[in-house]
Amino acid sequence: MEGFFGKLYRIDVSSCTFQIEPINERIYSRLLGGKGLGSYLLWREVPAGTDPLGPENKLIFTWGPLTGTAAPGASRYGVYSKSPQTGLYGESYSGGPAAAAMRRTGCDALIIQGRAASPLWLEISDAGVDFHPAGAIWGQDTYAAAAAMLQQVPAADAQAVVIGPAGENQVVFACLENNNWRSAGRTGMGAVLGSKLVKGLVFHGQTPYPLYDAGLLKEVARQIRQQSLSHPAVNTYRTYGTTVMVGAMNGARAFPASYWREGTLENWPELSGDTFLQKFTVKPRACPNCFMACAKLAQMESERYGQITIEGPEYETIFAFGGLCRIACLEDIIYINDLCDRLGLDTITTGNLVGLVMEAVRLGRLDYPLAYGDTAGTVQLLQDIAARRDLGSVLSRGIIPAARELHLEDLAVHVKGLEPPGYDPRVLKGMGLAYATSTRGACHLRATFYKPELSGVIDPATVEGKAKLFIEYENRLTIFNTQIFCLFFRDLLGWPELSRLIQAATGVNYTREQLEQMANDIVTITRLFNAREGATRELDTLPDRLFQEGVNNGQHRLTREELSFMVDEYYSLRGWQDSGYPREQELLEFLGR
């Protein structure tokens, strides 16, 4: 197969050494790159019972055979590890220019292992790996640390991926940041890097990308661009970015508010995309080779906060702090977003945890000075979380241990230890299936199934036929994550386009059926990883609260029976056992080699 370098870098920070190791071609032909390669390496490298924050855990970076090329949307990297937040399969993705720089190093993946004797940062290029002391930048926020690292690397195309104080202090939902505002946000990848005493990584190189047919790639990319420029989704993202979802979700009455008690926010227009564009200086920004330009570079001049420049806020941050925490001012949310980026905190988890505290205070179950809408109190709690101080220290360990210690287990909303994003499953029932079956916990990105439910492709209230359609979306987006494509291209890249793009990179003309089987194998690997860690069918569910409490004055409910019906159908269509876990002897033999 073309399109791959056929090797990875293994970096041992305990000994400050690295090795270049070959990758067998059968791995590429069976699983491609990106998520396929990363999931395989995670299965192979991290045995059951590994401490997620111990030196034996591995942090694995991958990219895809189309990363950095003319393929639209192929500008993301993936990172995989055993999650310190869930104790299960962990994955996260980020966009921007960093992925292309990673691939120019001339390898297809890197594995970071061990624990350094003192803080380091790594310089990774096509010439190898250099280990630099990071004592002077340990403790700095992500913006300052990235700038300091890049200043020491003369390469003009160098890109940095860093952690903030939250990652250094091993807050289990700490994230990785690149280009200041791009986050590999979920499942605690920043905590894993921090546990290894690595402040960050700088990538650069000049190795040309291997391609089977550059001419075919150029033609397919041209056709996709030509067919897509007038697409409504492209125009909406270019104008509003993800802030458009504030209005859409409130219109559907599926906007989680008041820590999952309500499905709308009465003052939601104050947090909407229109208000965002009116109040701030906003410019569209695009990842390399992307015509969608969904990112929004916002400049804020505020008497309270001064001048802030930020790429955002995204919908999920607005939902988390504006909806769950009822912070009603976009200025405040932009400030909080900027603070989370600097500290290296995942905004979805952080907003959920702050909302849990606010709800517990409202109910008289927690004595803590924080009420709904309290921006100053929220800021203080975020700083305490990153520093692991006071109540912040309790929350920094994640929602399962925090809820147990605070006696709030009946209030806490999560799946497998990961809190849900901004789509209420009592209204969008397919999102209930998505949250329940995702191997990384409550996740909207494995299938982005809110899209067909909101757009009328399938009735959000029904459970009939949900699993079949969900698998179609999940399979296609699993193949997206082998390349690694931006998921916002889901309306633009169907199976034919995917097949032609992969052929241009690799020389292999996969049929849809072959790609779907590949996707099923990749999803199965992630399930096998969790099963090896002791996960059972009982984890594929939602918190009791979401079954017991309706939303929108009880008009929208999801029953246990409805979820069980969808989950059973999902297992059956995947070819798995009733237990929810596969019996794939041939795949197990493949993985064991």
Side-chain angles (χ1 to χ4, degrees):
M1 291 180 72
E2 300 292 333
F4 297 99
F5 295 107
K7 60 186 178 182
L8 61 81
Y9 282 176
R10 182 182 297 275
I11 303 169
D12 191 328
V13 296
S14 298
S15 57
C16 291
T17 59
F18 80 98
Q19 301 176 59
I20 299 174
E21 298 180 2
I23 301 173
N24 194 303
E25 185 170 322
R26 68 186 174 82
I27 306 300
Y28 297 122
S29 62
R30 182 74 178 264
L31 303 171
L32 292 175
K35 180 171 180 170
L37 177 59
S39 299
Y40 166 76
L41 292 173
L42 184 61
W43 166 273
R44 190 187 74 180
E45 295 283 331
V46 179
T50 297
D51 178 358
L53 295 176
E56 298 81 12
N57 197 15
K58 311 290 175 68
L59 193 66
I60 299 164
F61 286 80
T62 68
W63 31 96
L66 286 163
T67 299
T69 69
S75 55
R76 297 177 70 78
Y77 66 89
V79 57
Y80 311 85
S81 190
K82 183 177 179 180
S83 167
Q85 190 171 3
T86 67
L88 299 171
Y89 175 85
E91 63 178 324
S92 201
Y93 301 87
S94 183
M102 292 177 179
R103 193 162 183 235
R104 286 195 295 269
T105 62
C107 63
D108 299 317
L110 62 90
I111 299 172
I112 301 174
Q113 63 189 43
R115 177 181 171 87
S118 59
L120 297 173
W121 65 272
L122 310 178
E123 182 183 353
I124 302 165
S125 72
D126 44 8
V129 179
D130 292 311
F131 300 82
H132 300 276
I137 59 173
W138 197 258
Q140 289 185 355
D141 70 28
T142 59
Y143 299 178
M149 289 158 55
L150 289 169
Q151 194 171 26
Q152 297 181 56
V153 178
D157 61 346
Q159 296 288 323
V161 177
V162 299
I163 60 172
E168 295 174 3
N169 293 324
Q170 298 172 48
V171 175
V172 301
F173 45 93
C175 59
L176 304 174
E177 301 279 354
N178 58 275
N179 304 103
N180 288 353
W181 310 294
R182 297 303 183 98
S183 307
R186 310 230 68 195
T187 68
M189 300 296 100
V192 178
L193 194 61
S195 74
K196 300 185 178 304
L197 286 185
V198 176
K199 181 64 176 178
L201 310 92
V202 172
F203 297 88
H204 63 92
Q206 299 300 319
T207 302
Y209 305 140
L211 275 176
Y212 172 72
D213 191 334
L216 175 60
L217 176 60
K218 184 177 180 180
E219 174 59 21
V220 176
R222 183 194 66 79
Q223 292 175 1
I224 293 168
R225 178 184 293 267
Q226 186 176 44
Q227 294 165 7
S228 302
L229 287 177
S230 60
H231 194 286
V234 174
N235 293 330
T236 298
Y237 276 124
R238 187 180 292 129
T239 302
Y240 291 101
T242 60
T243 63
V244 71
M245 295 302 294
V246 175
M249 295 306 298
N250 276 278
R253 305 179 72 195
F255 184 77
S258 305
Y259 194 63
W260 300 94
R261 275 191 294 114
E262 301 170 2
T264 58
L265 197 66
E266 63 274 7
N267 64 328
W268 70 261
E270 297 176 30
L271 304 177
S272 69
D274 287 321
T275 299
F276 175 59
L277 295 179
Q278 290 165 10
K279 289 190 68 173
F280 308 104
T281 302
V282 179
K283 296 180 179 178
R285 297 243 296 185
C287 292
N289 295 313
C290 178
F291 50 80
M292 199 171 295
C294 72
K296 299 292 166 274
L297 188 69
Q299 292 184 329
M300 179 177 81
E301 294 277 359
S302 165
E303 290 185 8
R304 188 185 312 176
Y305 303 120
Q307 185 178 42
I308 292 178
T309 299
I310 189 171
E311 202 174 87
E314 300 292 341
Y315 167 70
E316 298 298 348
T317 303
I318 298 173
F319 132 78
F321 291 102
L324 296 183
C325 303
R326 300 188 66 87
I327 293 173
C329 174
L330 272 176
E331 277 193 6
D332 291 352
I333 291 174
I334 286 174
Y335 178 75
I336 288 169
N337 194 161
D338 182 67
L339 179 62
C340 286
D341 287 346
R342 290 177 182 274
L343 295 173
L345 288 170
D346 171 29
T347 59
I348 297 178
T349 284
T350 306
N352 267 273
L353 287 169
V354 174
L356 172 63
V357 170
M358 290 174 170
E359 181 67 1
V361 170
R362 184 189 76 86
L363 293 171
R365 297 179 56 181
L366 186 64
D367 183 13
Y368 186 78
L370 186 66
Y372 280 116
D374 181 353
T375 299
T378 296
V379 168
Q380 182 61 58
L381 186 52
L382 298 189
Q383 292 168 337
D384 288 346
I385 289 170
R388 302 194 70 154
R389 200 168 44 216
D390 303 325
L391 179 62
S393 179
V394 177
L395 300 176
S396 73
R397 300 197 291 272
I399 194 165
I400 292 178
R404 185 182 302 122
E405 181 169 338
L406 299 171
H407 307 291
L408 300 175
E409 291 169 284
D410 59 320
L411 276 184
V413 176
H414 68 89
V415 176
K416 303 181 180 77
L418 191 71
E419 302 83 355
Y423 310 89
D424 198 304
R426 292 165 290 190
V427 180
L428 306 175
K429 294 186 178 182
M431 290 306 296
L433 175 65
Y435 296 158
T437 58
S438 170
T439 45
R440 78 171 188 174
C443 173
H444 62 301
L445 293 176
R446 302 290 66 77
T448 67
F449 203 66
Y450 58 87
K451 176 69 177 182
E453 293 196 294
L454 289 172
S455 62
V457 173
I458 194 167
D459 183 353
T462 188
V463 296
E464 301 286 342
K466 278 280 166 75
K468 183 176 186 298
L469 186 62
F470 177 79
I471 286 175
E472 290 180 15
Y473 273 73
E474 186 179 35
N475 280 347
R476 185 160 57 93
L477 295 195
T478 297
I479 298 302
F480 267 50
N481 279 334
T482 65
Q483 297 309 295
I484 302 168
F485 286 126
C486 170
L487 302 186
F488 290 167
F489 279 76
R490 68 198 154 211
D491 295 325
L492 312 177
L493 301 180
W495 291 108
E497 291 81 10
L498 277 176
S499 182
R500 293 188 73 203
L501 286 168
I502 293 169
Q503 181 183 8
T506 69
V508 181
N509 184 16
Y510 289 103
T511 64
R512 171 176 175 169
E513 290 72 23
Q514 289 173 317
L515 290 174
E516 289 202 89
Q517 181 58 53
M518 186 183 297
N520 193 73
D521 285 350
I522 294 168
V523 173
T524 297
I525 291 170
T526 70
R527 298 286 294 192
L528 290 170
F529 183 91
N530 280 2
R532 195 167 64 181
E533 294 294 340
T536 63
R537 179 194 172 114
E538 284 66 37
L539 294 182
D540 286 353
T541 189
L542 300 179
D544 289 342
R545 269 192 67 196
L546 298 189
F547 296 123
Q548 295 166 355
E549 302 173 14
V551 71
N552 301 318
N553 297 317
Q555 295 178 39
H556 294 98
R557 292 183 177 274
L558 176 65
T559 68
R560 295 181 192 276
E561 292 74 23
E562 287 175 319
L563 181 63
S564 182
F565 174 87
M566 292 188 290
V567 169
D568 284 342
E569 189 175 25
Y570 177 82
Y571 292 164
S572 176
L573 291 170
R574 281 271 179 228
W576 297 345
Q577 303 174 84
D578 291 343
S579 66
Y581 288 88
R583 185 168 47 220
E584 295 272 353
Q585 189 60 38
E586 188 268 338
L587 180 60
L588 284 168
E589 291 174 359
F590 169 80
L591 290 169
R593 292 177 193 162

